[in-house]
Amino acid sequence: MDKRRFGSLYNDGWRLRFQMSRRLSVMMMTWEFPPRIVGGISPHVYHLSKSLAKNGVKVYVVTCDFPGAPEHEILDGVEVFRIDSYKNPSPDFATWVYLMNMNLQKEAATIANRVSGKVDIFHAHDWLVASAGVGLKHVFRKPLLVTVHSTEIGRRNGIHSDYQRMIHETESWLTYEAWKVICCSNYMISHVKWAFGLPEDKLTMIPNGVNTEESEKAKNTDLSPFRRKFALPEEKIILFVGRLVYEKGVHVLVSAIPKILEKVNAKFVIVGNGYMKEPLSNTVKSIGLAHKVIFTGFVDDETLRNLQACADVSVVPSLYEPFGIVAIEAMAAKSPVVVSDTGGLSEIVEHDKTGVKVYMNNPDSLAWGTNKVLLDENYAKSMSENAYKMVQEKYNWDKIAEQTKKVYESVLDDYAKSFWTNT
Amino acid sequence: MRVIIFSWEYPPRVVGKLADYVRELAVQLVKNEVRVYVVTYHDFLTGLYEEQEGPNTYRITNPVRTHIGVLTWVLTLNQEAERVASNIYYDVAKQIALIDVHDWHFIPAAVTLKKAFDLPFIYSIDSLEDHRAHSANSPFNMAIKSIEWLGMYEAKTILVKSEWMQDEAYRVYKVPIEKVKVVKPESRIWIKDVLEAYTMTGGGSVSK
């Protein structure tokens, strides 16, 4: 950066300089980005970056490689660099992560050097890019932001080994080094505050988003042939989407099946895989209700959107849920939702207005909520319409990008007052 | 000429013979009018230590306390080396000629700094993983070897202490022999050889 030429302007604040020279630019670091999809970070960073670019922010994404994906491309206005992430042999996953960070940081430093000081902010997603984020912050003397999507102490329900403690301390170090920490729900804000002892003013809540365009497509096609593959015309569809593991509470739904069927004729469609799939399908068989329940396993995105569009009710009976994107996706597809009153779900749903909240880990309560929705069409319709409006307003990626850009701007205001601007 | 020296051992932390070698090197460089900044590790004696007519020493500790092995330990420690070296770089108005990295531990930091600042580095080899763990090829050993390889590849100059090691660098990593200079510690002109390598790598004259 040519500080001598812009020296006086620089001290007047970065805004002025920006208006004169160029737009705000951010370098995102993430271990997954489409087409590489491991979990929720990949679609999150993709939609956020795309919407930021639409909002006038120059976005560089530095991420791990994927077979067939180009090393460098401009994707929906976002400049993406994919690095060789399997260069070094590694004894275990965590060591792979730190070695990948060494390579990612090497490439990111090359890119940032090449664009000569035009990266204003480094934005890291989870501990998987912690050391690269911290390193680049100090080397280029630019602010580091982190989005904490989940924590080791939350994923493991405590820290039980040195391996987990190392990851926990890495997360703590990353949040310590970050100028601001973004979380996707108030639940996560308080969790992260507790887990790493962070001050309140360092934390910002910006919700996760949902792409309503994809759900819109499903609604505009005739889904009755698709629906027939899953249920009889007179059967209601009750949809569950999630990994079939304990914390998702799918066993609570299975326990509620007889109670629900007492009052409505319905088909239960259970989407996802997990270690509970076999025991649960055995339970369903043993109580003679196998013809009422379909375990679909993992399905592709299109099938999922169509199922959500067909569903008469979507149930999310989780016991642990940091955010609950699946409830928002169902809302975007105009499916009424029944959720357990816990974690991020508690924040998303307003009882009787945008959905039904039921007691956590309670099959009777879940059956009551589900039947309430299925037996009263007007009630169901008004809720799904309210929910759809709410999702469009609150969980809209353009709005989220706007909020994120505001955080960038406020961090750059702080930065303008720091001695780092004079280096 | 200003140089940064990276070494994971330096007195009072002595693990092997490298600590005393790097100490002697730093002292001799200062005597020859080189401004020396040693960046090294110590668990608790952290921060800057300035000596009258001696090198400046920055001791760093690991920002992550719990580790599962020396590799993860080294890799997070590298971020502190990077942070401190960047601070030195900015404090002296970017007038650093080169980084001299002793053994593999701080190669990752040196590589990032090279890419970010176009700052060349010297890889000074004391020993190689191939000698420390004879023909071991577990993922752990291979990972260390891959870091050594990265150092060989990215370094502008490689310094070794014997002709035997020069041959070994070629045998193990196929480094072109012209890239590897021998500076024998037992030789009377040892520091002269080092200074010559520094000048060639960093450009300009020594006393600048």
Coordinates of all heavy atoms in Angstrom, one line a residue, chain A residues 23 25-30 33-34 45-46 48-54 57-63 70-83 107-108 110-112 114-115 118-119:
Chain A
R23 N -12.9 -0.5 -3.6 CA -13.9 -1.1 -2.7 C -13.3 -1.9 -1.6 O -12.2 -2.4 -1.8 CB -15.0 -1.8 -3.5 CG -14.4 -2.9 -4.4 CD -15.5 -3.4 -5.3 NE -14.9 -4.4 -6.2 CZ -15.5 -5.5 -6.6 NH1 -16.7 -5.8 -6.2 NH2 -14.9 -6.3 -7.5
S25 N -12.3 -5.0 0.6 CA -12.0 -6.3 0.1 C -11.7 -7.2 1.3 O -11.0 -6.8 2.3 CB -10.9 -6.3 -0.9 OG -9.7 -6.7 -0.4
V26 N -12.2 -8.5 1.2 CA -12.0 -9.4 2.3 C -11.5 -10.7 1.7 O -11.8 -11.1 0.6 CB -13.4 -9.6 3.0 CG1 -14.4 -10.2 2.1 CG2 -13.2 -10.6 4.2
M27 N -10.6 -11.4 2.5 CA -10.2 -12.7 2.1 C -10.8 -13.7 3.1 O -10.5 -13.7 4.3 CB -8.6 -12.8 2.2 CG -8.1 -14.1 1.7 SD -6.3 -14.2 1.6 CE -6.0 -13.5 0.1
M28 N -11.6 -14.6 2.6 CA -12.3 -15.7 3.4 C -11.4 -16.9 3.4 O -10.9 -17.3 2.3 CB -13.6 -16.1 2.7 CG -14.6 -15.1 2.6 SD -15.6 -15.1 4.1 CE -16.8 -13.8 3.6
M29 N -11.2 -17.5 4.6 CA -10.5 -18.7 4.6 C -11.5 -19.8 5.1 O -12.1 -19.6 6.1 CB -9.3 -18.6 5.6 CG -8.2 -17.8 4.9 SD -7.1 -17.2 6.2 CE -8.1 -15.8 6.8
T30 N -11.6 -20.9 4.4 CA -12.5 -22.0 4.8 C -11.9 -23.3 4.3 O -11.3 -23.4 3.3 CB -13.9 -21.7 4.2 OG1 -14.7 -22.9 4.4 CG2 -13.8 -21.5 2.7
F33 N -15.5 -25.5 0.5 CA -16.2 -24.5 -0.4 C -16.7 -25.3 -1.6 O -16.0 -26.2 -2.0 CB -15.3 -23.4 -0.8 CG -15.9 -22.3 -1.5 CD1 -16.6 -21.2 -0.8 CD2 -16.0 -22.2 -2.9 CE1 -17.2 -20.2 -1.5 CE2 -16.6 -21.2 -3.6 CZ -17.2 -20.2 -2.9
P34 N -17.9 -25.1 -2.1 CA -18.4 -25.9 -3.2 C -17.4 -26.0 -4.3 O -16.8 -25.0 -4.6 CB -19.7 -25.2 -3.6 CG -20.1 -24.4 -2.5 CD -18.9 -24.0 -1.7
V45 N -20.4 -20.2 3.5 CA -19.3 -19.3 2.9 C -19.7 -19.0 1.5 O -19.5 -17.9 1.0 CB -17.9 -20.0 3.1 CG1 -16.9 -19.0 2.4 CG2 -17.6 -20.2 4.5
Y46 N -20.2 -20.0 0.8 CA -20.6 -19.7 -0.6 C -21.7 -18.6 -0.7 O -21.5 -17.7 -1.5 CB -21.1 -21.0 -1.3 CG -21.8 -20.8 -2.6 CD1 -21.0 -20.4 -3.7 CD2 -23.2 -20.9 -2.8 CE1 -21.6 -20.1 -5.0 CE2 -23.8 -20.6 -4.0 CZ -23.0 -20.2 -5.1 OH -23.6 -19.9 -6.2
L48 N -22.7 -16.5 1.6 CA -22.2 -15.2 2.2 C -21.3 -14.5 1.2 O -21.5 -13.3 0.9 CB -21.5 -15.5 3.5 CG -20.9 -14.3 4.2 CD1 -22.0 -13.3 4.6 CD2 -20.1 -14.7 5.4
S49 N -20.3 -15.2 0.6 CA -19.4 -14.6 -0.3 C -20.1 -14.0 -1.6 O -19.8 -12.9 -2.0 CB -18.3 -15.6 -0.8 OG -17.7 -16.1 0.3
K50 N -21.0 -14.8 -2.1 CA -21.7 -14.4 -3.3 C -22.6 -13.1 -3.0 O -22.6 -12.2 -3.8 CB -22.7 -15.5 -3.7 CG -23.5 -15.3 -4.9 CD -24.3 -16.6 -5.2 CE -25.6 -16.3 -5.8 NZ -26.5 -17.5 -5.9
S51 N -23.2 -13.1 -1.9 CA -24.1 -11.9 -1.5 C -23.2 -10.7 -1.2 O -23.6 -9.6 -1.5 CB -25.0 -12.2 -0.4 OG -25.7 -13.4 -0.7
L52 N -22.1 -10.9 -0.6 CA -21.1 -9.8 -0.3 C -20.7 -9.2 -1.6 O -20.6 -8.0 -1.8 CB -19.9 -10.3 0.5 CG -20.2 -10.4 2.1 CD1 -19.0 -11.1 2.7 CD2 -20.3 -9.0 2.7
A53 N -20.3 -10.1 -2.6 CA -19.9 -9.6 -3.9 C -20.9 -8.8 -4.6 O -20.7 -7.7 -5.1 CB -19.5 -10.8 -4.7
K54 N -22.2 -9.3 -4.4 CA -23.3 -8.5 -5.0 C -23.5 -7.2 -4.3 O -23.9 -6.2 -4.9 CB -24.6 -9.3 -4.8 CG -25.3 -9.6 -6.1 CD -26.4 -10.6 -6.0 CE -27.5 -10.4 -5.0 NZ -28.5 -11.5 -4.9
V57 N -18.6 -5.8 -2.3 CA -17.4 -6.2 -1.6 C -16.6 -7.1 -2.5 O -17.1 -8.0 -3.1 CB -17.7 -6.9 -0.3 CG1 -16.4 -7.3 0.5 CG2 -18.5 -6.0 0.6
K58 N -15.2 -6.8 -2.6 CA -14.4 -7.7 -3.3 C -14.0 -8.9 -2.4 O -13.5 -8.7 -1.3 CB -13.1 -7.0 -3.7 CG -12.0 -7.9 -4.3 CD -12.3 -8.3 -5.7 CE -11.4 -9.5 -6.1 NZ -11.7 -10.1 -7.3
V59 N -14.4 -10.1 -2.8 CA -14.2 -11.3 -2.0 C -13.2 -12.3 -2.6 O -13.4 -12.7 -3.8 CB -15.5 -12.1 -1.7 CG1 -15.3 -13.2 -0.7 CG2 -16.6 -11.1 -1.1
Y60 N -12.1 -12.6 -1.9 CA -11.3 -13.7 -2.3 C -11.6 -14.9 -1.3 O -11.7 -14.7 -0.1 CB -9.8 -13.3 -2.1 CG -9.3 -12.1 -2.8 CD1 -9.3 -10.9 -2.2 CD2 -8.8 -12.2 -4.1 CE1 -8.8 -9.7 -2.8 CE2 -8.4 -11.1 -4.8 CZ -8.4 -9.8 -4.1 OH -7.9 -8.7 -4.8
V61 N -11.8 -16.1 -1.9 CA -11.9 -17.2 -1.0 C -10.7 -18.1 -1.2 O -10.3 -18.4 -2.4 CB -13.2 -18.0 -1.4 CG1 -13.3 -19.3 -0.6 CG2 -14.4 -17.2 -1.1
V62 N -10.0 -18.5 -0.1 CA -8.9 -19.4 -0.2 C -9.4 -20.7 0.5 O -9.8 -20.7 1.7 CB -7.6 -18.9 0.4 CG1 -6.5 -19.8 0.1 CG2 -7.3 -17.5 -0.1
T63 N -9.4 -21.8 -0.2 CA -9.9 -23.0 0.3 C -9.2 -24.3 -0.2 O -8.3 -24.2 -0.9 CB -11.4 -23.1 0.0 OG1 -12.1 -24.2 0.7 CG2 -11.6 -23.3 -1.5
P70 N -11.4 -26.2 -10.5 CA -10.2 -25.4 -10.9 C -9.5 -24.8 -9.7 O -10.1 -24.5 -8.7 CB -10.8 -24.3 -11.8 CG -12.2 -24.2 -11.4 CD -12.7 -25.5 -10.9
E71 N -8.2 -24.6 -9.9 CA -7.3 -24.0 -8.9 C -7.7 -22.5 -8.7 O -7.6 -22.0 -7.6 CB -5.9 -24.0 -9.4 CG -5.1 -25.1 -8.8 CD -3.7 -25.1 -9.4 OE1 -3.0 -24.1 -9.4 OE2 -3.3 -26.2 -10.0
H72 N -8.2 -21.9 -9.7 CA -8.5 -20.5 -9.7 C -9.7 -20.2 -10.6 O -9.7 -20.6 -11.7 CB -7.3 -19.6 -10.1 CG -7.6 -18.2 -10.1 ND1 -7.0 -17.3 -11.0 CD2 -8.4 -17.4 -9.3 CE1 -7.4 -16.1 -10.7 NE2 -8.2 -16.1 -9.7
E73 N -10.7 -19.6 -10.0 CA -11.9 -19.3 -10.9 C -12.7 -18.1 -10.2 O -12.5 -17.8 -9.1 CB -12.8 -20.5 -11.0 CG -13.5 -20.9 -9.7 CD -14.6 -21.9 -9.9 OE1 -15.3 -22.0 -10.9 OE2 -14.8 -22.8 -8.9
I74 N -13.5 -17.4 -11.1 CA -14.4 -16.4 -10.6 C -15.8 -17.1 -10.6 O -16.3 -17.5 -11.7 CB -14.4 -15.2 -11.5 CG1 -13.0 -14.7 -11.8 CG2 -15.3 -14.1 -10.9 CD1 -12.4 -13.7 -11.0
L75 N -16.3 -17.3 -9.4 CA -17.6 -18.0 -9.3 C -18.6 -17.0 -8.7 O -18.5 -16.5 -7.6 CB -17.4 -19.2 -8.4 CG -18.6 -20.1 -8.2 CD1 -18.9 -20.9 -9.5 CD2 -18.3 -21.1 -7.1
D76 N -19.6 -16.6 -9.5 CA -20.7 -15.7 -9.1 C -20.1 -14.4 -8.4 O -20.5 -14.0 -7.4 CB -21.6 -16.3 -8.1 CG -22.3 -17.5 -8.7 OD1 -22.7 -17.4 -9.8 OD2 -22.5 -18.6 -8.0
G77 N -19.1 -13.9 -9.1 CA -18.4 -12.6 -8.6 C -17.4 -12.8 -7.5 O -16.8 -11.8 -7.1
V78 N -17.2 -14.0 -7.1 CA -16.2 -14.3 -6.0 C -15.0 -14.9 -6.6 O -15.1 -15.9 -7.4 CB -16.9 -15.3 -5.0 CG1 -15.9 -15.6 -3.9 CG2 -18.1 -14.7 -4.4
E79 N -13.8 -14.4 -6.2 CA -12.6 -15.0 -6.7 C -12.1 -16.1 -5.8 O -11.8 -15.9 -4.6 CB -11.5 -13.9 -6.8 CG -10.3 -14.3 -7.7 CD -9.5 -13.1 -8.2 OE1 -9.9 -12.0 -8.0 OE2 -8.4 -13.4 -8.7
V80 N -12.1 -17.3 -6.4 CA -11.8 -18.5 -5.5 C -10.5 -19.1 -5.9 O -10.1 -19.3 -7.1 CB -12.9 -19.6 -5.8 CG1 -12.7 -20.8 -4.9 CG2 -14.3 -19.0 -5.6
F81 N -9.7 -19.4 -4.8 CA -8.4 -20.1 -5.0 C -8.4 -21.4 -4.3 O -8.8 -21.4 -3.1 CB -7.2 -19.2 -4.4 CG -7.0 -17.9 -5.2 CD1 -7.7 -16.8 -4.8 CD2 -6.1 -17.8 -6.2 CE1 -7.6 -15.6 -5.4 CE2 -6.0 -16.6 -6.9 CZ -6.7 -15.5 -6.5
R82 N -8.1 -22.5 -4.9 CA -8.1 -23.8 -4.3 C -6.7 -24.3 -4.1 O -5.9 -24.3 -5.1 CB -9.0 -24.8 -5.0 CG -10.4 -24.4 -5.0 CD -11.3 -25.5 -5.6 NE -12.7 -25.1 -5.5 CZ -13.3 -24.3 -6.5 NH1 -12.6 -23.9 -7.5 NH2 -14.6 -24.0 -6.4
I83 N -6.3 -24.6 -2.9 CA -4.9 -24.9 -2.7 C -4.7 -26.4 -2.6 O -5.6 -27.2 -2.3 CB -4.3 -24.3 -1.4 CG1 -5.1 -24.8 -0.2 CG2 -4.5 -22.8 -1.4 CD1 -4.3 -25.3 0.9
E107 N -0.1 -20.0 0.3 CA -0.8 -19.5 -0.9 C -1.5 -18.2 -0.7 O -1.4 -17.3 -1.5 CB -1.8 -20.5 -1.4 CG -1.1 -21.9 -1.8 CD -0.1 -21.8 -2.8 OE1 -0.1 -20.9 -3.6 OE2 0.8 -22.7 -2.8
A108 N -2.1 -18.1 0.5 CA -2.9 -16.8 0.8 C -1.9 -15.6 0.8 O -2.2 -14.5 0.4 CB -3.7 -17.0 2.1
T110 N 0.9 -15.4 -0.7 CA 1.3 -15.1 -2.1 C 0.3 -14.2 -2.8 O 0.6 -13.2 -3.4 CB 1.5 -16.4 -2.9 OG1 2.3 -17.2 -2.2 CG2 2.1 -16.1 -4.3
I111 N -1.0 -14.6 -2.6 CA -2.1 -13.8 -3.3 C -2.2 -12.4 -2.7 O -2.2 -11.4 -3.4 CB -3.4 -14.6 -3.0 CG1 -3.4 -15.9 -3.7 CG2 -4.6 -13.7 -3.6 CD1 -4.4 -16.9 -3.1
A112 N -2.2 -12.3 -1.4 CA -2.3 -11.0 -0.7 C -1.1 -10.1 -1.1 O -1.3 -8.9 -1.3 CB -2.4 -11.2 0.8
R114 N 0.5 -10.3 -3.9 CA 0.4 -10.0 -5.4 C -0.6 -8.8 -5.6 O -0.4 -8.0 -6.4 CB -0.1 -11.2 -6.1 CG 0.1 -11.1 -7.6 CD 0.1 -12.5 -8.2 NE -1.2 -13.2 -8.1 CZ -1.3 -14.5 -7.9 NH1 -0.3 -15.3 -7.8 NH2 -2.5 -15.0 -7.8
V115 N -1.7 -8.8 -4.7 CA -2.6 -7.7 -4.9 C -2.2 -6.5 -4.0 O -3.0 -5.6 -3.8 CB -4.1 -8.1 -4.5 CG1 -4.6 -9.2 -5.5 CG2 -4.2 -8.6 -3.1
K118 N -4.2 -5.0 -0.9 CA -5.6 -4.7 -1.2 C -6.6 -5.6 -0.4 O -7.8 -5.5 -0.6 CB -5.9 -4.8 -2.7 CG -5.4 -3.5 -3.4 CD -5.7 -3.5 -4.8 CE -5.0 -2.4 -5.6 NZ -4.5 -2.8 -6.9
V119 N -6.1 -6.4 0.5 CA -6.9 -7.2 1.3 C -7.1 -6.4 2.6 O -6.1 -6.1 3.3 CB -6.4 -8.6 1.6 CG1 -7.2 -9.3 2.7 CG2 -6.2 -9.4 0.4

